[in-house]
Amino acid sequence: MSSIASSKSQPDAVAAMPAWLHQVLGVESLTEGVSFDVGGQAFVVKNGIPRSKKLVSQAQAQTSETFGFKWKKVDTFDSPASLARMREWLVERYGDLSSASWLREHGENPLLIDAGCGAGMSGLELLGPLVPHLRYLGVDVSEAVDVARTRFQERGLEGGFFQADISELPLPKESVDLIFSEGVLHHTNSTEGALKSLASLLKPGGRFLFYVYKRKGPLREFTDDYVRDRLQPISPDEAWKLMEPLTQLGISLGELNAEIDIPHPIDLLGIPAGRINVQRLFYWHVAKTFYRPDLSFDEMNHINFDWYAPANAQRQSPEQVRAWCAEAGLEVEREVVEDAGITIVARKSDRMY
C-alpha cells in the first residue's frame, strides 16, 4: 500500500488517485479537468475526483445537498466518543470483519465499493484495518466524497473516490467483489431499485453488506413524514437550526432517567408491553430525539438531522428486504433486525438466474 500524506500538510494531495482506479473505470487518463464516458454516462474530473454529469431527481438532489452539508460539519461526528459509538454498533450488526473467515474467499486486494460512503465514517470504523488489503472505492452522490478522501489521507490510507448516484453506477456487471452500504440504499429514489442495481455488479460469490431503515409504529411514521415534509422547502442550515429544540427535548427526556410500566401491549400504536425508559418510549414511538450523555449537543443534533432532513428516506419491512435479496440472487448469511433498521450480509449466488 502506498502512503498518502495528510492533505493538511500536502495541498497537492487532492490530485492523488490509486493507480487501479483507471482500470476499474476503463479510462486512460484521470487528470484534472478531463471528461470521459463510462457505460454511457458522462464524467469530469474535478478537484481530483471523477464526478458524474448526469442529472438526478429533485428528491435525490435535495438529499445530496443535505448530506453534503451534514458531512462537512466534521466536528459533529468525528469525536472519539462519536466514532466509538459508531464502531461498536457496526461490529454488533456486521460482526468483526477483521476476523471474518469468508474474506479469504475474495482473494488478494478485492474491489470493495462503499456505496454512499458519505464522509467515510462507517467505512473507516468497520473496515479500517482491512483498507490496506482492499481496493476501496468510495462512491457518493454528494460532495461528501471530498471529505471522505481527506479523512482517508489524514489516516495514511489509500482509497479511490467517485461522485455518482449509487443506483446507476456505470460499472460492468459482475465486476465487484464486495459492496458495503451503511444506511444509504433507503436514501435513493427506490431502496429496492438501488439494492438490485448494486447486486448486479457483484461477481458470483461476492458479498453485499448493507443496512436499511425499518418501518416503525403509526405515530412515529406519521411524525417522521410530517417533520421531513416541513424541512424540504428550507435550506440545510435552516433545517439544522429547526432540529435543535427537538434535540433539546430528547436531552431533557433522557436526563429524567425515568421509567414506566406498560402493562399490556398497545397494538393500535405498535407499542409492546414492558418496562421502558421514558426517553426511549418517546424516541421509538413518537419522534426521533436521540440521547446519549457522552455525546455533545451538536453530535446528537447531527444524528436527528441525519434522520429527518433527507427527502429520500424510505422505510421497509424485513419481509420486503428478504424478498428483494432473493430476487437479486443474494443468499442472506447474516440478518440483524432492530427497532431502528435491518442489517444484512448476503452472498451473491453462484447459480444462474
Side-chain angles (χ1 to χ4, degrees):
M1 180 193 73
S2 60
S3 176
I4 302 176
S6 168
S7 61
K8 292 181 179 178
S9 60
Q10 185 183 341
D12 292 338
V14 294
M17 282 190 240
W20 52 260
L21 188 56
H22 296 74
Q23 182 179 5
V24 169
L25 297 180
V27 296
E28 293 183 3
S29 173
L30 289 174
T31 57
E32 185 69 14
V34 71
S35 295
F36 59 91
D37 285 350
V38 176
Q41 198 172 143
F43 286 81
V44 62
V45 179
K46 182 180 177 183
N47 195 25
I49 292 178
R51 305 175 197 264
S52 175
K53 297 180 180 179
K54 186 171 183 178
L55 295 175
V56 295
S57 70
Q58 183 176 352
Q60 193 64 358
Q62 186 276 344
T63 301
S64 171
E65 181 186 13
T66 294
F67 283 115
F69 168 86
K70 182 191 77 165
W71 288 121
K72 289 175 183 176
K73 296 173 77 68
V74 176
D75 59 343
T76 68
F77 66 84
D78 207 27
S79 73
S82 186
L83 296 179
R85 178 194 71 85
M86 176 56 68
R87 187 181 311 113
E88 178 184 0
W89 192 44
L90 287 165
V91 172
E92 280 178 7
R93 294 181 290 115
Y94 293 105
D96 184 355
L97 297 193
S98 63
S99 60
S101 59
W102 53 259
L103 273 177
R104 292 193 294 271
E105 297 175 22
H106 301 287
E108 295 184 7
N109 301 119
L111 175 61
L112 178 141
I113 294 178
D114 189 346
C117 65
M121 179 172 70
S122 297
L124 284 169
E125 294 311 310
L126 184 64
L127 305 169
L130 299 173
V131 171
H133 309 290
L134 302 169
R135 287 174 292 157
Y136 172 95
L137 179 55
V139 183
D140 202 274
V141 73
S142 79
E143 292 181 354
V145 288
D146 297 85
V147 182
R149 179 184 56 189
T150 296
R151 297 180 77 239
F152 267 67
Q153 291 172 338
E154 289 173 346
R155 290 158 176 77
L157 295 172
E158 181 181 84
F161 296 93
F162 194 51
Q163 186 176 354
D165 184 348
I166 64 168
S167 299
E168 301 182 53
L169 292 185
L171 299 177
K173 305 296 184 186
E174 300 186 355
S175 65
V176 177
D177 299 290
L178 301 163
I179 298 175
F180 173 58
S181 189
E182 170 61 13
V184 183
L185 301 177
H186 48 242
H187 289 312
T188 63
N189 290 329
S190 166
T191 308
E192 177 185 4
L195 187 158
K196 291 179 177 179
S197 177
L198 286 167
S200 71
L201 304 181
L202 280 174
K203 298 175 181 177
R207 281 181 171 82
F208 198 161
L209 296 79
F210 66 87
Y211 169 81
V212 292
Y213 292 152
K214 177 175 170 285
R215 191 174 299 121
K216 299 167 180 63
L219 281 178
R220 176 64 192 273
E221 286 292 314
F222 172 83
T223 305
D224 287 346
D225 288 335
Y226 174 79
V227 174
R228 192 167 286 117
D229 288 346
R230 286 285 307 274
L231 299 183
Q232 299 319 300
I234 63 179
S235 71
D237 187 62
E238 290 171 316
W240 179 272
K241 289 181 172 62
L242 202 57
M243 293 305 304
E244 291 179 347
L246 194 64
T247 297
Q248 185 57 61
L249 174 60
I251 293 171
S252 298
L253 290 171
E255 289 176 346
L256 284 176
N257 197 26
E259 294 185 341
I260 62 169
D261 281 309
I262 301 175
H264 305 288
I266 309 172
D267 294 331
L268 287 170
L269 301 179
I271 300 176
R275 191 162 184 82
I276 186 169
N277 180 278
V278 171
Q279 187 270 335
R280 302 310 284 171
L281 174 66
F282 190 90
Y283 178 92
W284 287 122
H285 301 290
V286 181
K288 177 156 184 168
T289 49
F290 188 85
Y291 173 70
R292 182 159 163 158
D294 58 339
L295 299 186
S296 71
F297 180 90
D298 279 346
E299 287 171 326
M300 287 183 267
N301 203 56
H302 175 109
I303 292 167
N304 292 330
F305 178 90
D306 174 86
W307 176 260
Y308 284 115
N312 278 340
Q314 288 85 29
R315 288 86 73 189
Q316 33 276 309
S317 69
E319 293 76 18
Q320 283 178 307
V321 173
R322 292 175 198 136
W324 296 339
C325 285
E327 291 164 5
L330 297 171
E331 299 170 345
V332 176
E333 296 180 320
R334 181 185 179 103
E335 176 187 87
V336 178
V337 178
E338 303 171 303
D339 289 333
I342 304 154
T343 303
I344 297 288
V345 177
R347 181 180 181 275
K348 184 73 172 289
S349 175
D350 296 316
R351 300 191 300 271
M352 297 297 290
Y353 280 82

